[in-house]
Amino acid sequence: LRAGWVERADAMQRWFDEQLALSPSPLSGSKIRVDWPAKRCGALRAWALSSGVTFPALEDAHWYRLSPAGLRDAAKGKATIDPPPWSAETVELRAALATFVSPAAAMRRHAAASVRHRVAELKRHAGTPGFRDLLERLAAALDGPNGDRLRARIVAQFPAALIDEFQDTSPLQYRIFDRVYRIAANDPATVLFLIGDPKQSIFAFRGADIRSYLRARDATAGRHHRLGVNHRSTQALVAAVNRLFTNAEAFDGGAFRFGGALDPSGPSPLPFVPVEARGRRERFVASSGSVPAITVCVDAAELNVTDTRRVFADRAASRIVSWLADPACGFDDFEAGFRRLAPADIAVIVRTGKEAAAVQGALRRRRVASVYLSDRDSVFAGPEAKDLVRWLLAVATPLDSRRVRAAFATPLAGLSTDALGALAHDDVVIESRVELLRRLKAVWARQGVLPMLRQALHALDLPARWLSEPDGGERKLTNVLHLAELLQAASAEVEGEETLIRWLVDQTAAEHGGEDEHLVRLESDADLIQVVTVYKSKGLEYPVVLLPYAATFHEAKAKNDVIAVPEGDGGRRIVFDPSQQDVADADLARLQEEIRLLYVALTRARHALWIGVSPPKGKGGNALQLTALGHLLDGGRRIQADALGALLDAATAGLASVVVDVADSTDEPVVVLDAGTGATAFVDAPDYTTRFETDWTIGSFSSLVRDLSRAPLAITPASPSLEEELLAGVTDEPPAPPGARAPRHRFPRGALPGNFLHEQLQWLAASGFALATDPGLAERLRLRCERQGWGHRADDVVAWLGEVSTTVLPPLDASLAALRTLLPEMEFWFPSGGP
């Protein structure tokens, strides 16, 4: 089944059953039998190759055990074995399977090429090339017959160029730069500055390739300049980082595991060169004295991923609370004096959104506010955008009961359980909500989506409620207003409510790369603890940094038999039938980049760095050797969990500024930060006192008569002639069964059905009530019923409204379909002298 040969599964099972019935299997438990007839192995090999069946991957040791030499080695003592002929055929089988090309891989390659060609064709027809398309066109033009003329024009316009962050250059970009400025030739007619640090090349997912930088460095040998002094961090912190990476230079591949990356016989093209430190004038101190430059919190327990996130999030949060609650914790400057530590001085660096959520949750439980900054924190990626889609759908179709209930059930509306229950069962509540949506729809049509959303916020009293929430209320309000502005801008380019809603749906599903107009920012973010990804922290610095997940890793694996493998000349190739070597090459590239990620994370702090380390679980137990930290500590050899603390002590021996703290596995107690300590914590939101004009309204007739007395009305007896007229045609026959009643009598009652029929009558008025003479109008009415959840009543609606359209109205002596001047719904304005 896994090989994709479902139709042959039964035949294969029968074949094996027949062979095993003739002779015992050559594999019986842990013992190897040698009496399996050779003809059956040959038949198996021939059948497998002809059918295209792929076998589960066998390790080298397994193949060796099936070979003649392996069978001889399996003999115990002085026993000898005469290997059967089939054992030699296993060697042939292995070689044949190695050359077999999977049909699935060929199909994937064909599909990938077809998709790429089709996408390029669509972009070309639409005239919407992407950034990479422009680069490919420029590279093709420079390599074309007019490439020299194009190069001369570019050089004439830009004789000098400076490229910053050059370590993030892609192979295609490097080819263009080299073609224009002839890097190796050092053309005196041009000036090219390439600025970068290969140790900080961490954007491979964007196409950055460190090998492009290394090739450029080889091409510019003898023309290099290096910045050898660190102006960011304290001398103790720089010395500790230098020690960790200098020790790792002695391991295989060097500190960055790049030995022989370009030349297998040469030295590492990416060595670690220690830097000096200018130092800081101020000191980071606490009640206990100077805070260590690096504190390593070690937990020897082999925790799974979920427990690791929870445990070290709690420990990091507890350390932050202990610092913020300490009035003597801060920065002591002999000239400027003492400044207490503030939340804005602290950054927690993580790799993933799940790690960030765990850290923020731990801080929230301790009443400490934080903000998460990722490289892709688009406002469209937040929950408010998805809730806003449901809200806009309800406003656009206020008589669709499902959309109305879905909108008011979102966290954005924030209704209680009782309010939601009333919305489901109380017609008065439903009527009031539908009336609100109808008013908002009118505002949307007249003024636009932005005024409509602002009125919706205040109609539901959402700003005051959100701002009183202990955490996240201000951000929620800012996100909604930001989305409202983006929707208003988009409404100038799209036409209609449904089109605008579709635009918002597409934005929430799209991948956003952090466009400036889409990024989420609050002025108060600068005053909070920064939870930031390693990618976002690159190029930034923070007084104090916590790195709670320093020993995590993401092993490279083939997903659906597809994997990206780095190429020797730069870039990556997609392999659809990866071998074990392909997976190993991809995992080596993963380790190299994770070492660089760790380097970036360790060099963001000015004064202090707190690191959380725990051996991650992997196949066979502790997988610390697969992590970047495991390579820096012991060259990627297997590290016993209980020896981790001692290994860290040995790696930092002689550095008094490094403290290794071996913690137990007990849960960290939750100590809530006291707002009276002077540190910034949660505070009560100010009262929302703004007043709005509320002495006017637009209401329906139902809302006007809703509160009238329910007393029965007095009925004046009819005249005999009128009574006789009313009773004409009345017989003593029994009433018709419920199914045979007229549609108007069996249609559900209530606010939502009434509003639904009301809207259909308005729509029919715009078409002249031509149900009887226009079959297409009836079909469109049925479709409207389907869209609004009344498809099961479509026949009744068409029949009932058809009767309404053709019935003669006594005062007019004409039916609705016969009228030529129609006003679907007239508004009546009445002055009111009441309060």
Side-chain angles (χ1 to χ4, degrees), residues 423-490:
L423 186 64
H425 304 293
D426 192 329
D427 284 348
V428 175
V429 174
I430 295 174
E431 174 68 25
S432 64
R433 298 298 186 184
V434 170
E435 187 63 33
L436 170 63
L437 295 176
R438 288 165 61 91
R439 294 200 303 269
L440 293 175
K441 183 177 182 180
V443 174
W444 190 352
R446 291 195 303 265
Q447 303 178 32
V449 66
L450 177 59
M452 181 274 290
L453 288 175
R454 287 183 175 272
Q455 288 199 25
L457 291 176
H458 295 296
L460 297 174
D461 197 28
L462 293 178
R465 286 161 48 193
W466 288 346
L467 293 176
S468 64
E469 294 178 358
D471 183 28
E474 183 183 9
R475 176 166 295 279
K476 185 184 298 184
L477 178 58
T478 303
N479 287 356
V480 172
L481 294 177
H482 189 176
L483 287 166
E485 294 174 1
L486 294 173
L487 284 166
Q488 184 69 25

Side-chain angles (χ1 to χ4, degrees), residues 601-656:
L602 293 175
T603 54
R604 298 305 96 198
R606 294 182 198 159
H607 293 276
L609 181 62
W610 185 93
I611 303 174
V613 178
S614 175
K617 276 189 175 182
K619 291 182 179 179
N622 169 20
L624 189 60
Q625 75 278 0
L626 300 178
T627 67
L629 185 62
H631 170 73
L632 294 178
L633 291 178
D634 204 17
R637 291 186 287 268
R638 183 173 290 276
I639 301 174
Q640 298 299 323
D642 54 1
L644 180 57
L647 196 60
L648 283 165
D649 284 330
T652 58
L655 296 176

Side-chain angles (χ1 to χ4, degrees), residues 805-818:
S805 302
T806 56
T807 298
V808 176
L809 303 176
L812 302 177
D813 197 22
S815 65
L816 293 176

Side-chain angles (χ1 to χ4, degrees), residues 48-66:
L49 293 178
S50 63
S51 303
V53 173
T54 57
F55 291 95
L58 298 179
E59 302 292 340
D60 292 340
H62 299 158
W63 282 109
Y64 175 73
R65 185 60 69 190
L66 293 174

